[in-house]
Amino acid sequence: MSDTVQRPETLRIAVAQFNPTVGDVVGNLSLARAARAKAAALGADLLLLSELFISGYPPEDLVLKPAFLQACKAAVDELAADTADGGPGVIIGFPRQGDKGRHNSVAIIDGGKILGLRDKIDLPNYGEFDEKRVFVEGDMPGPVSFRGVRLGVPICEEIWNDLGVCETLAESGAEILLVPNGSPYYHGKLQVRYQVVLRQVIESGLPLVFANQVGGQDELVFDGASFCFNADKTLAFQMPQFEESIVLTTWTRDADGWSCAAGKVSDIPEGEEADYRACMLGFRDYVNKNGFKSVVLGLSGGIDSAICAAMAVDALGHERVRTIMLPYRYTSEESFKDAADCAKALGCHYDIVPISEPVEGFLSSLADMFEGTESGITEENLQSRTRGTILMAVSNKFGSMVVTTGNKSEMSVGYATLYGDMNGGFNPIKDLYKMQVYALSAWRNGHVPVGALGPAGEVIPANIISKAPSAELRPDQKDQDSLPPYPVLDDILECLVEKEMSVDEILARGHDIATVHRIEHLLYLAEYKRRQSAPGVKITKKNFGRDRRYPITNRFRDR
């Protein structure tokens, strides 16, 4: 468009929070085209998509493959050619090979060509992010002219820190800030984003659109929840959380600049609902994107396997979930009833496969070697490993992914058996402490999450929630025979893991010194187990795996 053409007084921007799949360049291009078609039907001038949309986010070491970068660039070129039809322009993220190396980039395309490219300057290198490992920094950007409007396009991390990208864009003539993001969920994250965006709005004096990806990618869940703040700090619109969505926004220009007309402000789930929906979405996408037709899990009559079964049915539907009770001599009648009641309430397939014969077979084979030794943890773990072997056999025979069910409290202190109850492809509650598991179970009994395929009502029997937890590996066993009460344990663990607090700081909260030292020791000792555990949904600010990377060989102890 010629610079002599009168500048528009209105602009219609479609903001899309969609669910791309890492590595599926062809599929992601089709998804972008579908989004553009919807934007055109809405009457949009421009479509804003999320960070690294063409590759999926985060692509990690895929960007080290030249063929992958070439495929991503070819897809962007195809999409650019599409815009010759006079329909909406597109802002889309993709990994790009530049003269100085690989970039996390955004293309602004319109009229059949790429109007401009933006390379991310601030590459996050903390927690779940390690972009400096695979990308190089770009140059400080200026605005891109789109149909007579100067757009600033900071990329995700650039609004989180104080590099001055937004201020620089404002000083160089940007009128609106459109920010493609790949911002993963953790508990309470949306309020953090609001604070980040408001700071940039205040400092730049410009309205800002925060467009986020939605969907699960391995351990990460991207929750969408895209939004916009105008320059006067009012919330112009709020898109839903954990759902794909596209919204048309209408912008008008007056003497004070551009502003977005008030749109729908979706209700955002809080507390247990948000965490449950994050677990459900992450689980669903892991299973579906990796091509599993069904899942199988051991249903013991305990709280952890019960909530995992509920999440599986909610995510996939009852017909894709198989549960198996694997009883031994220590399995109580109460557990039999609770497991059967849970499966019935969820409507999923339920089998009973006794493990007495294989366990006794192992014990018989080892009798000579174990002669003269005390029976204890070794024999208990044989039960768990037998169950794990049977579940893996079912997985191999029917192609079902095994769901592992250990919570964060257990994974923290090593109360899980390698090649036993740790067997599995994915763990939806891996980042939930035991008390969070109880809270989410009670919440689920009173609510059906948005998008859930499971039934309403009490899907986790009340007795499972109220009874004392037990692995049932020996007579009358209870978890608190060898662990402090879970409220105490979880508080100590949160201090050690999430907050990296010293022993003295934890003691100041009223905890017993011997207990704190023991839990700290168990936490460090179990690192080798966690390295071999299945991936699971990230819910807290610091999950095991991406966020917390402690050495296995480690002799440090505080005090």
Side-chain angles (χ1 to χ4, degrees):
M1 182 179 287
S2 170
D3 290 339
T4 61
V5 175
Q6 185 176 0
R7 298 178 63 203
E9 298 302 313
T10 62
L11 185 68
R12 295 174 296 276
I13 302 174
V15 181
Q17 52 178 48
F18 277 25
N19 188 351
T21 299
V22 168
D24 187 6
V25 177
V26 173
N28 295 340
L29 173 59
S30 295
L31 194 59
R33 282 172 162 158
R36 183 170 181 266
K38 290 181 180 179
L42 293 171
D45 302 305
L46 176 65
L47 168 66
L48 174 61
L49 294 166
S50 55
E51 181 179 13
L52 291 179
F53 189 92
I54 283 292
S55 63
Y57 186 80
E60 301 186 272
D61 283 8
L62 272 175
V63 300
L64 301 181
K65 297 183 73 66
F68 181 67
L69 295 178
Q70 291 164 11
C72 291
K73 178 60 167 61
V76 172
D77 287 341
E78 285 189 47
L79 189 62
D82 290 352
T83 64
D85 63 5
V90 183
I91 295 177
I92 190 167
F94 73 109
R96 183 180 75 87
Q97 180 65 53
D99 294 336
K100 298 179 181 179
R102 296 174 300 274
H103 293 284
N104 178 338
S105 301
V106 165
I108 300 90
I109 58 181
D110 192 34
K113 63 183 179 180
I114 296 176
L115 300 180
L117 291 169
R118 277 280 293 104
D119 299 324
K120 192 174 184 179
I121 297 172
D122 195 355
L123 302 173
N125 204 52
Y126 57 88
E128 66 266 35
F129 303 110
D130 53 4
E131 289 192 28
K132 288 185 178 180
R133 187 169 175 274
V134 295
F135 292 122
V136 297
E137 297 175 358
D139 298 322
M140 188 64 79
V144 175
S145 180
F146 175 82
R147 302 186 185 182
V149 183
R150 294 186 297 276
L151 303 176
V153 189
I155 305 173
C156 198
E157 189 73 11
E158 293 172 352
I159 69 170
W160 287 75
N161 295 316
D162 296 321
L163 292 184
V165 172
C166 293
E167 285 185 276
T168 298
L169 285 166
E171 291 168 357
S172 54
E175 299 169 276
I176 302 171
L177 299 176
L178 303 177
V179 188
N181 292 270
S183 180
Y185 173 83
Y186 61 72
H187 189 88
K189 184 73 170 286
L190 184 58
Q191 292 301 320
V192 178
R193 294 183 190 135
Y194 279 175
Q195 294 170 11
V196 166
V197 168
L198 281 171
R199 185 178 73 245
Q200 296 296 350
V201 167
I202 292 168
E203 292 180 358
S204 67
L206 298 177
L208 188 154
V209 177
F210 184 103
N212 195 27
Q213 178 175 312
V214 69
Q217 169 59 29
D218 295 345
E219 294 129 307
L220 302 178
V221 173
F222 298 90
D223 57 315
S226 306
F227 62 92
C228 170
F229 277 107
N230 274 314
D232 64 0
K233 304 184 287 296
T234 57
L235 182 66
F237 67 86
Q238 171 65 68
M239 295 173 70
Q241 196 170 28
F242 306 116
E243 300 173 46
E244 286 189 301
S245 179
I246 185 168
V247 64
L248 181 69
T249 66
T250 301
W251 296 72
T252 56
R253 181 175 177 269
D254 59 22
D256 295 323
W258 288 92
S259 63
C260 180
K264 181 178 179 181
V265 176
S266 298
D267 291 333
I268 298 298
E270 297 179 350
E272 287 79 20
E273 180 183 1
D275 290 346
Y276 192 99
R277 290 181 63 185
C279 290
M280 188 177 74
L281 176 58
F283 184 48
R284 174 184 289 156
D285 276 358
Y286 188 87
V287 172
N288 289 341
K289 289 182 178 182
N290 284 291
F292 293 105
K293 294 181 180 178
S294 59
V295 298
V296 59
L297 70 151
L299 193 62
S300 67
I303 187 83
D304 296 325
S305 63
I307 194 173
C308 286
M311 287 178 175
V313 170
D314 284 339
L316 306 173
H318 66 89
E319 69 281 356
R320 297 176 66 188
V321 180
R322 177 191 289 263
T323 61
I324 305 177
M325 160 60 89
L326 298 149
Y328 189 53
R329 66 178 69 167
Y330 307 123
T331 302
S332 67
E333 289 300 321
E334 184 181 36
S335 292
F336 266 110
K337 183 179 186 303
D338 289 340
D341 288 348
C342 184
K344 181 179 180 181
L346 290 167
C348 58
H349 190 90
Y350 178 66
D351 291 298
I352 300 175
V353 180
I355 66 169
S356 296
E357 288 189 17
V359 171
E360 298 303 326
F362 280 125
L363 291 173
S364 177
S365 296
L366 293 165
D368 290 342
M369 185 177 293
F370 286 4
E371 186 176 2
T373 65
E374 295 269 344
S375 178
I377 292 177
T378 300
E379 288 74 17
E380 292 179 13
N381 285 342
L382 273 176
Q383 299 170 52
S384 180
R385 292 191 171 112
T386 299
R387 291 181 172 113
T389 298
I390 290 172
L391 290 171
M392 289 305 301
V394 173
S395 172
N396 291 161
K397 179 61 70 174
F398 299 108
S400 302
M401 186 196 77
V402 179
V403 179
T404 182
T405 61
N407 61 69
K408 191 171 187 176
S409 303
E410 293 173 350
M411 296 302 299
S412 295
V413 296
Y415 276 51
T417 305
L418 280 175
Y419 325 120
D421 59 311
M422 289 179 65
N423 276 5
F426 195 76
N427 182 351
I429 65 168
K430 183 179 179 179
D431 202 31
L432 294 175
Y433 289 111
K434 189 74 168 188
M435 297 309 296
Q436 291 176 293
V437 170
Y438 279 112
L440 265 63
S441 298
W443 178 87
R444 176 59 182 90
N445 277 347
H447 305 82
V448 179
V450 175
L453 301 176
E458 186 181 272
V459 295
I460 301 173
N463 192 58
I464 291 180
I465 299 175
S466 62
K467 70 183 179 182
S470 171
E472 293 192 326
L473 300 175
R474 62 176 182 267
D476 300 318
Q477 183 182 27
K478 299 291 185 291
D479 289 5
Q480 291 182 14
D481 295 342
S482 53
L483 290 173
Y486 277 112
V488 174
L489 176 63
D490 288 358
D491 188 65
I492 293 172
L493 288 172
E494 186 174 356
C495 291
L496 289 169
V497 177
E498 268 74 45
K499 299 177 182 177
E500 299 285 6
M501 291 171 64
S502 69
V503 167
D504 284 340
E505 290 173 313
I506 300 172
L507 294 178
R509 296 169 67 89
H511 292 294
D512 171 69
I513 187 169
T515 301
V516 173
H517 279 157
R518 179 166 175 266
I519 299 308
E520 181 198 36
H521 177 70
L522 291 173
L523 176 66
Y524 287 144
L525 201 63
E527 188 62 43
Y528 79 100
K529 288 187 179 182
R530 291 191 290 270
R531 291 289 184 94
Q532 300 179 63
S533 64
V537 178
K538 171 183 165 67
I539 294 296
T540 67
K541 289 186 70 173
K542 188 170 287 188
N543 74 331
F544 291 126
R546 285 181 171 271
D547 293 335
R548 187 180 185 276
R549 306 179 190 182
Y550 268 63
I552 296 173
T553 305
N554 170 25
R555 291 188 178 181
F556 175 76
R557 299 294 183 271
D558 189 3
R559 291 184 53 183

